[in-house]
Amino acid sequence: MGPLVKDFDIKEHKSFDGYENYLNMSCLNDTPIYRRERYVDEVNFVLSSIVDKQDNILVESNTDGLFLESYEDPRFYNKSKFTFCLTYFDKKTTSVLGCKMGHSSIKKRSCDIYNLNNRAYEKNWQIHNRKFIYKIEPLEIYNSNNRNIVKLEKNKKWEPWIKKYGIPRLSTNTFKLRNKTYTIFHSSIKTKIIKEYCVEDPSTLYGIAGELKYFCGIMEVTKDYIPISYNRIPLFGSFDNYNKEQRKEFVNWRSRTNSTWVVDIFFPQNVEETKDCLTIHGGINDCVAVSINLEKKHLLKNIYKRDFVSLI
């Protein structure tokens, strides 16, 4: 079964240049921001900061505190504010200790960390109508006072997707098609394992850990981001052959210090829309920051009611 769309344009903005790596961009009103990875000599490790088009730092990685701090995957949620993921690493072992979501502004260049609950790993949620869409499977939503207002059990109707493509996770804001509201989610599966992480000391693994294949899906939601249905066919096909030589160079560069998965991925960060077109900002294969331009009429031509799985 082929993907929903094959006809689209890719615009590259920034990418791995041999010294720094740019990926998973977000953009709103011609204002792009990027996750930039850079080797940090003092800790012999690659950490991420968030930068603008001119490479000015908006939120900077930190090695001065109790942990190594890496700021990743920015997403605009209004014209000046964006969320990010803060990943903590142990200073001695560089093992991952946890991930928290935070927010910042391109104007004030200050940041703060959200504290919705005590989970060690929080990533990729959305802000929608002043609510936090924490996860979609099982669905969990918080209000602006950090109070849980929706918490559902796992929905068995997701099982066909999960069996083929992995657990659905949040990715983008909403957009309109034929007066219905949609969002894009992502999932992943392991296609090759070279070595599993060691439970006792996950930091012992350097180099390539394995291979991952990601999938984008399209989901219809209510105006409050409550899932209605999802299309059982992935939105895009494989990006495995996209600039393979560059990806190989990137993996070799990063795997000297960090555990690195070889990924086949378009990772969607946010969507901008006009009357006729969707522009999906994100990254390809963890080493290219891109925008995908997709005509709505082309997508609508390939969307059939019979391919949607009801979640209600």
Side-chain angles (χ1 to χ4, degrees), residues 194-302:
I194 294 178
K195 181 180 178 182
E196 289 282 8
Y197 284 97
C198 172
V199 175
E200 290 77 18
D201 186 5
S203 67
T204 58
L205 176 59
Y206 289 93
I208 299 172
E211 296 178 4
L212 289 173
K213 181 173 178 59
Y214 280 74
F215 303 88
C216 293
I218 185 169
M219 177 173 64
E220 184 185 358
V221 297
T222 69
K223 60 182 178 62
D224 295 317
Y225 215 117
I226 304 297
I228 297 173
S229 63
Y230 68 89
N231 196 297
R232 62 189 180 92
I233 304 172
L235 183 58
F236 300 114
S238 172
F239 290 85
D240 191 48
N241 290 320
Y242 189 88
N243 232 335
K244 293 190 76 168
E245 189 60 35
Q246 182 185 45
R247 182 177 65 173
K248 182 179 178 181
E249 292 173 0
F250 156 70
V251 169
N252 289 337
W253 171 80
R254 199 175 192 275
S255 62
R256 293 177 302 167
T257 60
N258 297 43
S259 298
T260 303
W261 293 86
V262 176
V263 294
D264 173 2
I265 179 177
F266 169 70
F267 195 82
Q269 291 286 99
N270 75 295
V271 178
E272 290 187 284
E273 66 173 311
T274 62
K275 179 182 176 182
D276 300 317
C277 184
L278 297 176
T279 300
I280 310 167
H281 306 290
I284 292 179
N285 296 343
D286 277 359
C287 58
V288 192
V290 304
S291 300
I292 287 183
N293 295 305
L294 173 63
E295 290 187 8
K296 286 184 176 181
K297 65 179 181 181
H298 178 64
L299 178 57
L300 287 168
K301 185 175 66 175
N302 294 286

Side-chain angles (χ1 to χ4, degrees), residues 2 44 77 98 121 125 139 152 168 172 243 247 284 289:
N44 190 33
Y77 64 91
Y121 292 88
W125 28 277
L139 183 66
L152 303 183
T172 76
N243 232 335
R247 182 177 65 173
I284 292 179

Side-chain angles (χ1 to χ4, degrees), residues 59 71 82 84 86 101-105 110-115:
V59 187
Y71 294 87
F82 59 90
F84 57 79
L86 167 58
M101 293 292 292
H103 63 98
S104 185
S105 168
S110 60
C111 65
D112 197 9
I113 304 301
Y114 292 110
N115 189 24

Side-chain angles (χ1 to χ4, degrees), residues 135-195:
K135 58 196 302 189
I136 54 174
E137 177 51 15
L139 183 66
E140 194 169 333
I141 300 176
Y142 291 78
N143 66 13
S144 57
N145 295 318
N146 297 348
R147 184 172 65 87
N148 180 246
I149 55 175
V150 177
K151 191 171 186 178
L152 303 183
E153 297 296 322
K154 289 184 177 181
N155 192 331
K156 292 185 177 180
K157 294 179 180 180
W158 274 111
E159 289 181 359
W161 181 278
I162 293 172
K163 186 177 180 180
K164 284 186 176 182
Y165 309 120
I167 298 172
R169 305 184 189 280
L170 286 165
S171 271
T172 76
N173 53 300
T174 60
F175 54 90
K176 292 284 189 178
L177 292 172
R178 287 182 182 154
N179 297 318
K180 292 184 177 182
T181 303
Y182 294 89
T183 186
I184 296 171
F185 63 93
H186 77 275
S187 62
S188 65
I189 58 172
K190 297 175 183 177
T191 57
K192 183 178 182 181
I193 304 297
I194 294 178
K195 181 180 178 182

Side-chain angles (χ1 to χ4, degrees), residues 47-49 60-72 86-89:
L47 295 173
S48 295
S49 299
E60 187 171 13
S61 62
N62 184 31
T63 62
D64 295 332
L66 296 175
F67 316 105
L68 302 178
E69 298 177 1
S70 184
Y71 294 87
E72 305 168 358
L86 167 58
T87 303
Y88 299 90
F89 297 91

Side-chain angles (χ1 to χ4, degrees), residues 13-65:
H13 296 263
K14 291 176 178 283
S15 65
F16 176 65
D17 60 12
Y19 302 94
E20 295 176 329
N21 183 45
Y22 297 86
L23 68 158
N24 295 0
M25 66 174 289
S26 184
C27 186
L28 200 60
N29 299 328
D30 294 319
T31 303
I33 54 178
Y34 306 88
R35 172 181 171 183
R36 185 193 68 191
E37 292 184 321
R38 175 180 284 180
Y39 174 75
V40 182
D41 291 293
E42 62 186 283
V43 293
N44 190 33
F45 202 61
V46 172
L47 295 173
S48 295
S49 299
I50 297 168
V51 300
D52 65 14
K53 186 177 182 179
Q54 288 75 36
D55 233 27
N56 298 311
I57 295 174
L58 303 177
V59 187
E60 187 171 13
S61 62
N62 184 31
T63 62
D64 295 332

